[in-house]
Amino acid sequence: MSVDPIVLFFLLGVGARLLRSDLRLPEAMYEGLSIFLLITIGLKGGVELAAHPLGPLLPQAGGVIAMGLALPLIAYPVLRGIGRLGRPDAASIAAHYGSVSMVTFAVALAWLADRKVPHEQYMPLFVVLLEVPGIIVGILIAKLGAGRGVHWGDLAREVFLGRSVVLLAGGLVIGWASGPHALEPQAKLFFDLFKGVLALFMLEMGLVAAGRIRELRRTGVFLLGFGTLMPIVFATLGILVGRTVGLSAGGSMLLGTLAGSASYIAAPAAMRIAVPEANPSLSLAAALGVTFPFNVIVGIPLYATIATRLFGPPI
Amino acid sequence: MSVDPIVLFFLLGVGARLLRSDLRLPEAMYEGLSIFLLITIGLKGGVELAAHPLGPLLPQAGGVIAMGLALPLIAYPVLRGIGRLGRPDAASIAAHYGSVSMVTFAVALAWLADRKVPHEQYMPLFVVLLEVPGIIVGILIAKLGAGRGVHWGDLAREVFLGRSVVLLAGGLVIGWASGPHALEPQAKLFFDLFKGVLALFMLEMGLVAAGRIRELRRTGVFLLGFGTLMPIVFATLGILVGRTVGLSAGGSMLLGTLAGSASYIAAPAAMRIAVPEANPSLSLAAALGVTFPFNVIVGIPLYATIATRLFGPPI
Amino acid sequence: MSVDPIVLFFLLGVGARLLRSDLRLPEAMYEGLSIFLLITIGLKGGVELAAHPLGPLLPQAGGVIAMGLALPLIAYPVLRGIGRLGRPDAASIAAHYGSVSMVTFAVALAWLADRKVPHEQYMPLFVVLLEVPGIIVGILIAKLGAGRGVHWGDLAREVFLGRSVVLLAGGLVIGWASGPHALEPQAKLFFDLFKGVLALFMLEMGLVAAGRIRELRRTGVFLLGFGTLMPIVFATLGILVGRTVGLSAGGSMLLGTLAGSASYIAAPAAMRIAVPEANPSLSLAAALGVTFPFNVIVGIPLYATIATRLFGPPI
Amino acid sequence: MLPVHPRKVVVIITESALEPQLVKDVRRLGAQGYTIADVRGGGKHGDRDNDWERDRNIRMEVVCDEPTADAIARHMRETHAPHWAMTILLGDIGVLRPEKF
Amino acid sequence: MLPVHPRKVVVIITESALEPQLVKDVRRLGAQGYTIADVRGGGKHGDRDNDWERDRNIRMEVVCDEPTADAIARHMRETHAPHWAMTILLGDIGVLRPEKF
Amino acid sequence: MLPVHPRKVVVIITESALEPQLVKDVRRLGAQGYTIADVRGGGKHGDRDNDWERDRNIRMEVVCDEPTADAIARHMRETHAPHWAMTILLGDIGVLRPEKF
Ligand SMILES: Nc1ncnc2c1ncn2[C@@H]1O[C@H](COP(=O)(O)O)[C@@H](O)[C@H]1O
Ligand SMILES: Nc1ncnc2c1ncn2[C@@H]1O[C@H](COP(=O)(O)O)[C@@H](O)[C@H]1O
Ligand SMILES: Nc1ncnc2c1ncn2[C@@H]1O[C@H](COP(=O)(O)O)[C@@H](O)[C@H]1O
Ligand code: NA
Ligand code: NA
Ligand code: NA
């Protein structure tokens, strides 16, 4: 069987960086591609939302948000107890794993589409809902636990109006308000090119993920274990939550992937400002250097298998 | 009825900026998208020009240029008399409103295409013809009126060889020289993606337009009135000129949109150099903060209505 | 007959620069487009390689590499003897002409595709194979001849892991490992947009090539002759090699184009580091200011004619 | 010769995420202006060479009188330097329009 | 110790639209070279923070002898400073190859 | 007033292709850090105005003690300056944390 080109692009980036090639994507291109992906995922979800009555989604949304609040509370004691990390670092890493990775979600989406597995098309709504709660809980752990105040105004702007939330949620609303027909003239850019852009973006992700691997030597073996086992636990939890709130097997697998993914865009930005005493290298090495590659290569097929086992019908 | 996604993208940008999100498009992306739009509009017009004998277009072109020369002469006394602005500022704003906004034109084009309204496909020719005259007249008012000399050589290069004129005119010539058949291999980039790129660009336009709104508080209510009423007057004039030179209702509406639009790329660049004593915030706040949003949201449908009234058959 | 838009885009760039327009593409866009082109050419070749047994290609590959090693050895004595250039400059220019220009190859590819001339679809493999040998031989001439040592480790990384080799070779491997079917979701980006992107890139090439023309005045007439005649000799040689190793007329014409093209990305980067005493303006003026435009406008049709004469059946 | 007035220039090289905070800080401490460039670099906190969006540095330059420079440098050292990659430099510079700085 | 020759450095921070003019100006006034960086900033003319293409600043640095520095600073102050966002700074710097500056 | 410790700043403006080499050089010669900005400029080797990827300049700034500054400047002048467009400047600067530089 042929290998998924999306994974190959990622590996090309990893290889180029490990061999110390001078290959790098210009930063504007990286930003442009990520803007494109965020909007497109939003639009896709929004177009589908338009076809659904919103009422029945509310309980699902509530369950998903509750899960987002719970995840960092599970991760934190593990990081303190087993990882022996200080409060700021443990809280920061918990926030990263409580939030989500939009690219991991996109890869899972493409993976399901290639295999024609049905799933709720409005899943992007949950990406938006899951991005913020984990970060807020992580900050609360760091601040309140340390008996320190929080600038709630600044913080809210940082997390709710961060680039990725605005683009995802903006795309959702535009897709929802326009509907598929009005968006047709834009479809050739946003929808037709999505998987090609994702492949290019994975090249960049490979370059930056490999750049983080060096740091792992310094941070030791704990983060390696945490970055691979915690996602499996979280993903399983996500799949169970999906099942509980009534998602299909495909949708539950996607929710599991979200739960098992770690944020490396929104969370690092917010935590650096809110908890500057945490070492940003630790959390980024784990989220980007371990968990992202793990999910892309091992996790996604694994979570599909888990979902299949739990649901019965094979994905 | 669903809302036009192009307007929604614009509003997303406006909202993100007003809420002080950190969302911004990398400058290279902004420039890349605008290069794409300028070339594509040029190519579209050029391909159509190839199908027309050029002779009969000459009188139309003459009428359009004459209008371009007249517009700043109408705006200037209003700005001096009612707005009580000094000579440099009045001349500079007159130049902005004498010239045109390519993006407003593109939005109007997409608006007509969505409604399948027929119009002369070579209209991009008039965008090129209208870009420069208004700027030159504005500079003349500022300079000669002040009894000061003009570096005509530098100035000509600045306005005739500015980025937007070169790309629009270059696209026109390439489209004209190649014809539709030879351009087919390029069509999937330039023509198929046009409306998607325009939507992305409108997101950026929303961000920058909203950034100008703050300045309006300082410049007062006059620019608000000028920036909404002058376009209506100019657009009506443009529609009448269109009718006079024999354009269709759709073509006249487009010419009206051009007349009613204000330049925020070519004119600011040229005026800053040629008339440095003018305050660039005033003209940009009006052109970008008032007139551009007004045209995109209110103006374009309004000009279509005016054209319909004047021509009879509904657009 | 209509003119090829790819050439027209190039001429637009040349004209804009010669008239001193302020038009320039943002650097990130230039880099992004070139990354796109390199990957796409690689993917195209790789997809075709997957359909071929690799064994029979080995002798062809050997012949092509041997040619790559030979070209600078032919150019060097000409540059020393007739051009009266010093050892470093002659060696550096020889390296540029020994290596290849990916964009010239892409233009030739598009030229053949427009005319539906059959050719071996795995030709991109030879682009990869030809990029490096000429550069290494050029460095050897400069260094060993001067009795100086070479940092082989650094040098190998510079040439074998330079951006263009990594992207081309990476694209080849991904295309080969995925095969056409798995790449279908990416085809709409990489394959459908290829010629449009190439056209945009040629605009940038026109701008930079024209910027080099000024320098030619200083470097005199020799480089003008060398930059037009050497490519014809090399291209003829390349066509003969193609015939010898069993390529079709179209494939031989492409190999000739590669032989006749001069590198202006990989070679300048490598030579500047390895042979800093060479004047980089000379080699770049020749490769970019003379040979690139010559090949795009005159060379490619000429090499097709030569291939036709040598092979019999008209291209 | 033009009369040149002596002033201080404070240069702060730090992580780009701190930019909005720095701008607020220096304004509050009395600076009448500032200039910021995107840079990359290396120091005690390792190489910050731009290969990931959060790994960028900025270089802020503030021209001001000596007390303001002192206040800015002191604030940076005490508030941000403990937790951020940061270099603080102080130099002498001349200005033509003393009221501007 | 290398012998170090004292020179002046003129720093001009202003709107990017002025760049071509500045380059012509300093060459004409005797500078043998110049260096320009893209920057953003804030001052009397408000924040110039890069969010629209006409809102960019540049920072030009010219190393030269004292009379040239004086001529450049004077020209900037008289010709451009009245109508443009502009900061002019003058500093001391050392060079190794005195004939170059 | 904060105690300010005098140091030297070496500024090297040169072709961007030399960047990796320069970073290695200054580290080897004892610098504890460096800062690099992308710039453009003009000098003896013509205008380097960014219009082709190989025509970019960088501006490297190294704050260090006097012997290190001397060693860096000397090395640049002897090894790279003959073949590369390069400007080497030496200035005085103050730092707050002397152990860092
Ligand atoms: N000795 C130095 N000279 C110039 N820049 C420095 C020096 N040390 C540190 N920097 C800059 O300041 C940033 C933060 O420094 P640090 O906190 O030492 O990591 C670095 O990333 C460099 O850009
Ligand atoms: N005190 C200052 N320190 C550093 N840079 C300044 C200062 N004042 C102004 N600038 C820079 O000079 C530009 C023009 O200044 P102004 O004319 O005061 O608006 C600003 O946009 C800043 O980039
Ligand atoms: N007098 C000067 N003032 C400021 N920068 C200079 C000066 N001379 C040269 N440079 C910079 O140093 C680079 C190399 O200088 P050169 O070797 O003289 O061509 C130039 O491209 C400029 O960026
Ligand atoms: Na998660
Ligand atoms: Na107008
Ligand atoms: Na060659």
Side-chain angles (χ1 to χ4, degrees), chain C residues 208-238:
Chain C
V208 298
R212 295 289 147 185
I213 292 177
R214 264 176 297 168
E215 314 227 351
L216 276 177
R217 281 186 227 137
R218 274 189 283 150
T219 58
V221 81
F222 168 71
L223 284 185
L224 214 86
F226 180 85
T228 51
L229 299 179
M230 197 83 263
I232 302 181
V233 175
F234 278 9
T236 312
L237 201 76

Coordinates of all heavy atoms in Angstrom, one line a residue, chain C residues 208-238:
Chain C
V208 N 14.5 40.3 -11.8 CA 15.9 40.1 -11.3 C 16.8 40.0 -12.5 O 18.0 40.5 -12.4 CB 16.0 38.9 -10.3 CG1 15.2 39.1 -9.1 CG2 15.7 37.6 -10.9
A209 N 16.4 39.3 -13.5 CA 17.3 39.2 -14.7 C 17.7 40.6 -15.2 O 18.8 40.9 -15.5 CB 16.7 38.4 -15.8
A210 N 16.6 41.5 -15.3 CA 16.9 42.8 -15.8 C 17.8 43.6 -14.9 O 18.6 44.4 -15.4 CB 15.6 43.6 -16.0
G211 N 17.7 43.3 -13.6 CA 18.6 44.0 -12.7 C 20.0 43.6 -12.9 O 20.9 44.4 -12.5
R212 N 20.3 42.5 -13.5 CA 21.6 42.1 -13.8 C 22.2 42.6 -15.1 O 23.4 42.6 -15.3 CB 21.7 40.5 -13.9 CG 21.3 39.8 -12.6 CD 22.4 40.0 -11.6 NE 21.9 40.1 -10.3 CZ 22.6 40.3 -9.2 NH1 23.9 40.6 -9.3 NH2 22.1 40.4 -8.0
I213 N 21.3 43.2 -15.9 CA 21.8 43.6 -17.2 C 22.7 44.8 -17.0 O 23.7 44.9 -17.7 CB 20.6 44.0 -18.1 CG1 19.8 42.7 -18.5 CG2 21.0 44.7 -19.4 CD1 18.6 42.8 -19.3
R214 N 22.4 45.7 -16.1 CA 23.3 46.8 -15.8 C 24.7 46.4 -15.6 O 25.7 47.0 -16.2 CB 22.8 47.5 -14.5 CG 22.0 48.7 -14.7 CD 21.5 49.2 -13.3 NE 20.7 48.3 -12.6 CZ 20.3 48.3 -11.4 NH1 20.8 49.3 -10.6 NH2 19.5 47.4 -10.8
E215 N 24.9 45.3 -14.9 CA 26.2 44.8 -14.6 C 27.0 44.4 -15.8 O 28.2 44.4 -15.8 CB 26.2 43.7 -13.6 CG 25.2 43.9 -12.4 CD 25.8 43.5 -11.1 OE1 26.9 43.0 -11.1 OE2 25.2 43.8 -10.1
L216 N 26.2 44.0 -16.8 CA 26.9 43.5 -18.0 C 27.7 44.6 -18.7 O 28.8 44.3 -19.2 CB 25.9 43.0 -19.0 CG 25.4 41.6 -18.8 CD1 24.4 41.2 -19.7 CD2 26.6 40.6 -18.8
R217 N 27.3 45.8 -18.5 CA 28.1 46.9 -19.1 C 29.5 46.9 -18.6 O 30.4 47.1 -19.3 CB 27.4 48.2 -18.8 CG 26.2 48.5 -19.7 CD 25.7 49.9 -19.6 NE 24.2 49.7 -19.5 CZ 23.4 50.3 -18.6 NH1 23.9 51.2 -17.8 NH2 22.1 50.1 -18.7
R218 N 29.6 46.6 -17.3 CA 30.9 46.6 -16.7 C 31.7 45.4 -17.1 O 32.9 45.4 -17.2 CB 30.8 46.7 -15.1 CG 30.7 48.1 -14.7 CD 30.8 48.2 -13.1 NE 29.5 47.7 -12.6 CZ 29.4 47.1 -11.4 NH1 30.4 46.8 -10.7 NH2 28.2 46.8 -10.9
T219 N 31.0 44.3 -17.2 CA 31.8 43.0 -17.4 C 32.2 42.8 -18.9 O 32.9 41.9 -19.2 CB 31.0 41.8 -16.9 OG1 29.8 41.8 -17.7 CG2 30.7 41.9 -15.4
G220 N 31.6 43.6 -19.7 CA 32.1 43.6 -21.1 C 31.4 42.5 -22.0 O 30.6 41.8 -21.5
V221 N 31.9 42.5 -23.2 CA 31.2 41.7 -24.2 C 31.5 40.2 -24.2 O 30.7 39.4 -24.7 CB 31.6 42.3 -25.6 CG1 32.9 41.7 -26.1 CG2 30.5 42.0 -26.6
F222 N 32.6 39.8 -23.5 CA 32.9 38.4 -23.5 C 31.8 37.6 -22.9 O 31.3 36.6 -23.4 CB 34.2 38.1 -22.8 CG 34.4 36.7 -22.5 CD1 34.7 35.8 -23.5 CD2 34.3 36.2 -21.2 CE1 34.8 34.4 -23.2 CE2 34.4 34.8 -20.9 CZ 34.7 33.9 -21.9
L223 N 31.3 38.1 -21.7 CA 30.2 37.3 -21.0 C 29.0 37.2 -21.9 O 28.2 36.2 -21.8 CB 29.9 37.9 -19.7 CG 30.9 37.6 -18.6 CD1 30.4 38.1 -17.2 CD2 31.2 36.1 -18.5
L224 N 28.7 38.2 -22.7 CA 27.5 38.2 -23.6 C 27.7 37.0 -24.6 O 26.7 36.3 -24.8 CB 27.4 39.5 -24.3 CG 26.0 40.0 -24.6 CD1 25.4 40.7 -23.4 CD2 26.0 40.9 -25.8
G225 N 28.9 36.9 -25.2 CA 29.1 35.9 -26.1 C 29.1 34.5 -25.5 O 28.4 33.6 -25.9
F226 N 29.8 34.4 -24.3 CA 29.9 33.2 -23.6 C 28.5 32.7 -23.2 O 28.1 31.5 -23.3 CB 30.8 33.3 -22.4 CG 30.9 32.1 -21.6 CD1 31.8 31.1 -21.9 CD2 30.1 31.8 -20.5 CE1 32.0 29.9 -21.2 CE2 30.2 30.6 -19.7 CZ 31.1 29.7 -20.1
G227 N 27.7 33.6 -22.7 CA 26.4 33.3 -22.1 C 25.4 32.9 -23.2 O 24.3 32.4 -22.8
T228 N 25.7 33.1 -24.5 CA 24.7 32.7 -25.5 C 25.3 31.5 -26.3 O 24.5 30.7 -26.7 CB 24.4 33.9 -26.5 OG1 25.6 34.5 -26.9 CG2 23.6 34.9 -25.8
L229 N 26.6 31.5 -26.5 CA 27.1 30.5 -27.4 C 27.4 29.2 -26.6 O 27.1 28.1 -27.1 CB 28.4 30.9 -28.1 CG 28.2 32.1 -29.0 CD1 29.5 32.6 -29.6 CD2 27.2 31.8 -30.1
M230 N 27.9 29.3 -25.4 CA 28.2 28.1 -24.6 C 26.9 27.3 -24.4 O 27.0 26.1 -24.6 CB 28.8 28.6 -23.2 CG 29.5 27.4 -22.4 SD 31.2 27.1 -22.9 CE 31.0 25.8 -24.1
P231 N 25.8 27.9 -24.1 CA 24.5 27.1 -23.9 C 24.2 26.4 -25.2 O 23.7 25.2 -25.1 CB 23.5 28.2 -23.6 CG 24.2 29.3 -23.0 CD 25.6 29.3 -23.6
I232 N 24.4 27.0 -26.3 CA 24.1 26.2 -27.6 C 25.0 25.0 -27.7 O 24.5 23.9 -28.0 CB 24.2 27.1 -28.8 CG1 23.3 28.4 -28.6 CG2 23.9 26.4 -30.1 CD1 23.4 29.3 -29.8
V233 N 26.3 25.2 -27.4 CA 27.2 24.0 -27.5 C 26.8 23.0 -26.5 O 26.7 21.8 -26.8 CB 28.6 24.5 -27.2 CG1 29.6 23.3 -27.2 CG2 29.1 25.5 -28.3
F234 N 26.6 23.4 -25.3 CA 26.2 22.5 -24.2 C 24.9 21.8 -24.5 O 24.7 20.6 -24.3 CB 26.1 23.2 -22.9 CG 27.4 23.4 -22.2 CD1 28.6 23.1 -22.8 CD2 27.5 23.8 -20.9 CE1 29.8 23.3 -22.2 CE2 28.7 24.0 -20.2 CZ 29.9 23.7 -20.9
A235 N 23.9 22.5 -25.0 CA 22.6 21.9 -25.3 C 22.8 20.9 -26.4 O 22.2 19.8 -26.3 CB 21.6 23.0 -25.8
T236 N 23.5 21.2 -27.4 CA 23.8 20.2 -28.5 C 24.4 18.9 -27.9 O 24.0 17.8 -28.2 CB 24.7 20.8 -29.6 OG1 24.2 22.1 -29.9 CG2 24.7 19.9 -30.8
L237 N 25.4 19.1 -27.1 CA 26.0 18.0 -26.4 C 25.0 17.2 -25.6 O 24.9 16.0 -25.6 CB 27.1 18.6 -25.4 CG 28.2 17.6 -25.0 CD1 29.2 17.5 -26.1 CD2 28.9 18.2 -23.8
G238 N 24.1 18.0 -24.9 CA 23.1 17.3 -24.0 C 22.2 16.5 -24.9 O 21.8 15.4 -24.5

